[in-house]
Amino acid sequence: MDSFLDNLSSYKEVSGTQRDLPEWLTIDLVSSIEFAKRLPDITKFKDSDKEELIRSSCFTIAIAIQAIESYFEKHRTVVMPDGTDVIQAMKKAGTFINSDYTQMFVTILDPLHREQFTIDELVLTLQLLFYTIAPPDNLSVEGKVQLEKSVKASMQCLMVLLITQDKSNFSARYGALTALNETFITVTHIHKLKMKEAEPFRQKLRDLLIEQCVFDYRPTH
């Protein structure tokens, strides 16, 4: 049986050059997992703890990646790499754009544009976000100890960068980046609720994808 990743390229496309939105989210999820697997300290966790961290954090990282990519492309709403404006696509499909969708695809970009964050700031902020989402109770004793160390190390890296950039503006900048992570967490929660409303099985596919990416697993039959 082919794995979920093996079947990724066979997903239906909207047009000759455009992918459908769930596929883009899947691609961003793969990207977020690969990002996480390269974070400092991740190899210090045993496999079960590593899986728990990635399972808990990577969907939020994927949502953040969507927003950050759109920000660097100077879009005011979330736009997929093929140029698909999510809000416009939803309007064309007859979807009513309520406050949830506005948060998911429009206002999530507001703090990025307002604060003009740099790529260095955002990478270190995502690193901190990754290590602060997972509930410590689900980790092994060794994992809990390492998680605490990784959170402190991530905070220190971000602080050093901000102090080096502008010591006088350190507190405000750190606060803005912390608030940005809270925005990503809030918007991710809305995404999860919408996914469950639309397709209850998609959460299971997400978990399967994470498992395969974490362990580079491919079923043979």
Side-chain angles (χ1 to χ4, degrees):
M1 181 180 71
D2 290 337
S3 73
F4 185 53
L5 286 179
D6 292 331
N7 289 323
L8 186 61
S9 61
S10 65
Y11 275 20
K12 180 181 178 182
E13 294 188 352
V14 175
S15 70
T17 58
Q18 292 182 316
R19 303 177 187 273
D20 61 19
L21 298 181
E23 185 178 357
W24 276 125
L25 182 56
T26 302
I27 292 171
D28 285 333
L29 184 57
V30 173
S31 299
S32 72
I33 293 169
E34 292 305 313
F35 170 81
K37 289 166 68 175
R38 288 162 175 75
L39 286 175
D41 290 352
I42 194 66
T43 57
K44 297 178 181 179
F45 293 89
K46 63 182 184 180
D47 283 349
S48 59
D49 290 332
K50 189 187 305 181
E51 181 185 9
E52 180 61 34
L53 288 171
I54 292 178
R55 192 181 300 278
S56 300
S57 304
C58 274
F59 189 69
T60 305
I61 301 296
I63 298 304
I65 286 174
Q66 286 186 345
I68 290 170
E69 287 179 341
S70 296
Y71 159 65
F72 280 117
E73 291 295 325
K74 303 186 185 306
H75 298 300
R76 302 302 303 194
T77 64
V78 173
V79 176
M80 299 296 106
D82 62 359
T84 300
D85 184 312
V86 179
I87 289 293
Q88 292 304 316
M90 293 174 68
K91 287 180 178 178
K92 288 181 181 179
T95 302
F96 173 70
I97 307 302
N98 59 27
S99 59
D100 284 346
Y101 291 125
T102 300
Q103 279 187 274
M104 291 162 65
F105 301 115
V106 182
T107 59
I108 188 174
L109 293 177
D110 288 351
L112 291 162
H113 286 292
R114 182 176 62 250
E115 301 293 340
Q116 295 291 296
F117 295 119
T118 67
I119 185 62
D120 290 337
E121 290 173 333
L122 291 171
V123 168
L124 291 180
T125 299
L126 289 185
Q127 176 181 319
L128 179 60
L129 177 63
F130 176 83
Y131 285 122
T132 53
I133 292 178
D137 291 344
N138 294 333
L139 301 179
S140 66
V141 174
E142 298 84 356
K144 292 176 183 177
V145 173
Q146 182 56 52
L147 181 62
E148 185 176 350
K149 293 179 180 178
S150 297
V151 169
K152 289 181 179 178
S154 298
M155 291 176 63
Q156 184 176 24
C157 287
L158 180 57
M159 289 178 178
V160 168
L161 172 67
L162 297 178
I163 291 172
T164 301
Q165 289 181 163
D166 185 355
K167 186 176 181 179
S168 64
N169 196 38
F170 161 74
S171 295
R173 202 67 170 170
Y174 185 81
L177 288 164
T178 301
L180 179 66
N181 275 349
E182 291 300 320
T183 296
F184 290 149
I185 292 171
T186 298
V187 172
T188 298
H189 179 68
I190 299 173
H191 270 277
K192 288 179 178 179
L193 292 178
K194 293 297 181 183
M195 285 172 61
K196 290 178 180 178
E197 290 173 5
E199 299 179 42
F201 66 87
R202 196 176 294 173
Q203 185 85 9
K204 295 181 180 179
L205 292 180
R206 186 201 70 154
D207 290 344
L208 175 60
L209 176 64
I210 290 174
E211 180 179 312
Q212 292 183 6
C213 288
V214 171
F215 300 110
D216 296 317
Y217 168 73
R218 298 292 184 278
T220 56
H221 56 78

